[in-house]
Structures are given as C-alpha cells and as structure tokens.
C-alpha cells in the first residue's frame, strides 16, 4: 500500500529532519510510528502527503512513485491526511465541514449525501449536532469532524497525526476504537501517536524513530512483551 524508501526530509534544503527513514504499510494494516518529541514523526506524514518534498529517497503508494506530489492530489488518489493541530473550519457547521471533504466530487450530490449519512452513522453525536458551528465543539468532537471529513473521500490510506493529543480519556478511547474499526473495514492507517502504550496496543506493526532515523521496529506482540525495557533502550 505505502512504501517509504530511505527518505531525507527537512524544512530547509541543507538540514534534514529525517535521515534515511524507511517504513511500509500494508493493506488493511494499522501502523504506529512512535518516538520522543522532535524526532520527525510528523515530518514523515507531511513528506508522504506531499506537504514537504524529500531531498532524497522515494515514496511509493500502491506501486506508484508519488514523491513530492502536490497535496491537493492526495484525496483523489485515495490518501488523506489529518494533521496534529485542529483543522476544523470553526465558523462552518459540522455538515459544512464534512462536505469540504467531498470537494473532489462536489458536483455529485447523490454521492455527497450518501457519504454524509455514512459518517453520521459512524458518529451519531455529530448527526445530532449537524447544524452546530464546529468551533463550539469539544476537542474530541472536533477530532471526529476531522476524521469524518477525511472519510468523505473514501480513502484507502489515512495518515493520522496524534489524534488523541489533549483529549479527555473518553474521547481518546473513542478515537482509538474508531481507527481500529476503520482498519476492520479495510482501510490502511499510518498513525503517529505520542502515547506509546496506546499506539502499540492498537497497531499491527510499530516503527520507532529517534533523531530522524529508524531506531527499531516489530510487531505489536514483540513490543508489548517488555515495554519498559524497550522504552529505556530507545531513550538511553
């Protein structure tokens, strides 16, 4: 589904945040990327989605080289990105926010209505408040709007950056459970998550980054066996 090969990426040409990082995401897999703050986890998602062009290396999606593609092309290709910072349109309603995710097929009213109803079925509390301004929602509800908006385009791969950061435990748990459900529907998910324990608990496979490089990788079972010792090894 997704293959990142030996990418060097930075916000300035001569300064690479990522230094030779490689990862893979298979079909209907949930892959977690973990590591300390500032090691390049979010930068990795931006490089995949086209917001930053790698200085070296390649990004392949469904066998096609998409290195440095324009990010506006991603939804039409079946790839969506949910950034770490809140990205709702605060003065639009929930429904208007969701409809922004249907921009690539904005003239297909039947499809838009079908996708809206699918999302309201996924997030019943959004259905009840569909005419409410998104800026007045709780942080957890805004995350649901962002996830729903991403799903309007019917993506095959979702790039999700720290979706539970700053959320109350009940909303954090709901978001994690929803990601697991989406994987069960056949979606592939590349998840960046600061909560190491939760990231491992829902992942099929885990990549650890440290100082912009691959530090370790393995299955959920391998990482869950002795988490404390593994974390100590990454940090010291």
């Amino acid at each position: 589904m997704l293959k990142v090969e030996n990418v060097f990426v930075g916000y300035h040409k001569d300064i690479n945040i990522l230094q030779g990082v490689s990862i893979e995401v298979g079909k209907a897999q949930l892959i977690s990327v973990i590591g300390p703050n500032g090691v390049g986890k979010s930068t990795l998602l931006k490089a995949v989605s086209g917001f930053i062009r790698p200085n070296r290396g390649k990004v392949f999606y469904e066998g096609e080289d998409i290195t440095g593609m324009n990010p506006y092309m991603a939804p039409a290709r079946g790839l969506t990105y949910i950034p770490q910072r809140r990205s709702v349109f605060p003065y639009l309603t929930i429904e208007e926010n969701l409809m922004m995710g249907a921009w690539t097929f904005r003239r297909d009213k039947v499809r838009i209505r079908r996708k809206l109803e699918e999302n309201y079925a996924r997030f019943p509390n959004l259905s009840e408040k569909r005419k409410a301004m998104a800026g007045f929602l709780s942080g957890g509800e805004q995350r649901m709007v962002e996830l729903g908006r991403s799903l309007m385009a019917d993506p095959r791969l979702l790039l999700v950056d720290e979706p539970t950061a700053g959320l109350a435990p009940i909303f954090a748990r709901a978001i994690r459970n929803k990601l697991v459900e989406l994987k069960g529907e056949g979606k592939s998910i590349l998840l960046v998550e600061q909560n190491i324990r939760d990231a491992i608990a829902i992942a099929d496979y885990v990549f650890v980054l440290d100082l912009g490089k691959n530090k370790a990788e393995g299955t959920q079972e391998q990482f869950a066996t002795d988490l404390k010792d593994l974390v100590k090894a990454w940090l010291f």
Side-chain angles (χ1 to χ4, degrees):
M1 174 64 71
L2 176 71
K3 189 172 185 179
V4 177
E5 288 188 347
N6 197 37
V7 295
F8 288 72
V9 184
Y11 298 94
H12 299 281
K13 186 175 182 180
D14 298 324
I15 303 176
N16 288 307
I17 305 299
L18 299 182
Q19 302 176 35
V21 168
S22 297
I23 66 163
E24 291 190 35
V25 181
K27 183 174 174 56
Q29 278 191 325
L30 196 161
I31 304 299
S32 288
V33 179
I34 61 177
N37 286 331
V39 299
K41 302 185 300 295
S42 296
T43 301
L44 172 64
L45 297 190
K46 292 175 183 176
V48 172
S49 57
F51 284 94
I52 308 174
R53 184 178 182 88
N55 295 320
R56 287 168 52 191
K58 296 288 185 180
V59 179
F60 296 94
Y61 172 63
E62 295 184 327
E64 183 179 354
D65 186 349
I66 62 166
T67 309
M69 72 172 175
N70 288 321
Y72 76 86
M73 299 173 61
R77 291 173 176 263
L79 187 157
T80 55
Y81 167 54
I82 302 174
Q84 180 181 355
R85 290 187 176 183
R86 298 289 182 267
S87 61
V88 298
F89 296 92
Y91 298 111
L92 297 182
T93 66
I94 288 175
E95 185 152 304
E96 288 168 337
N97 268 272
L98 292 177
M99 290 179 68
M100 293 297 289
W103 181 254
T104 56
F105 54 95
R106 58 192 177 277
R107 294 182 179 84
D108 190 340
K109 304 301 182 184
V110 173
R111 183 181 175 186
I112 290 173
R113 178 49 53 185
R114 184 177 73 250
K115 300 307 293 185
L116 281 172
E117 294 309 318
E118 286 178 6
N119 274 304
Y120 288 139
R122 285 192 178 101
F123 305 104
N125 57 325
L126 296 187
S127 178
E128 298 167 2
K129 301 178 180 181
R130 63 180 70 188
K131 300 303 180 184
M133 293 292 181
F136 292 98
L137 302 175
S138 69
E141 290 172 324
Q142 288 186 16
R143 271 305 193 198
M144 292 179 183
V145 171
E146 291 170 333
L147 187 53
R149 186 179 63 204
S150 175
L151 293 168
M152 288 290 290
D154 199 21
R156 298 181 293 281
L157 173 65
L158 290 85
L159 311 175
V160 189
D161 194 353
E162 296 200 22
T164 65
L167 299 188
I170 187 170
F171 280 114
R173 185 166 54 252
I175 293 295
R176 288 193 299 270
N177 290 342
K178 190 59 63 177
L179 293 176
V180 173
E181 288 178 20
L182 291 170
K183 186 192 78 167
E185 295 176 14
K187 307 290 186 187
S188 299
I189 300 169
L190 180 58
L191 171 67
V192 163
E193 181 56 83
Q194 193 62 37
N195 188 316
I196 293 174
R197 190 176 299 277
D198 290 340
I200 292 172
I202 64 173
D204 295 302
Y205 201 81
V206 179
F207 289 90
V208 182
L209 299 187
D210 188 26
L211 298 177
K213 299 179 180 179
N214 290 86
K215 175 85 172 185
E217 63 179 84
T219 64
Q220 178 207 69
E221 292 78 11
Q222 290 171 313
F223 276 85
T225 301
D226 202 344
L227 181 58
K228 287 185 178 179
D229 286 344
L230 287 168
V231 172
K232 287 180 181 179
W234 307 333
L235 298 180
F236 299 103

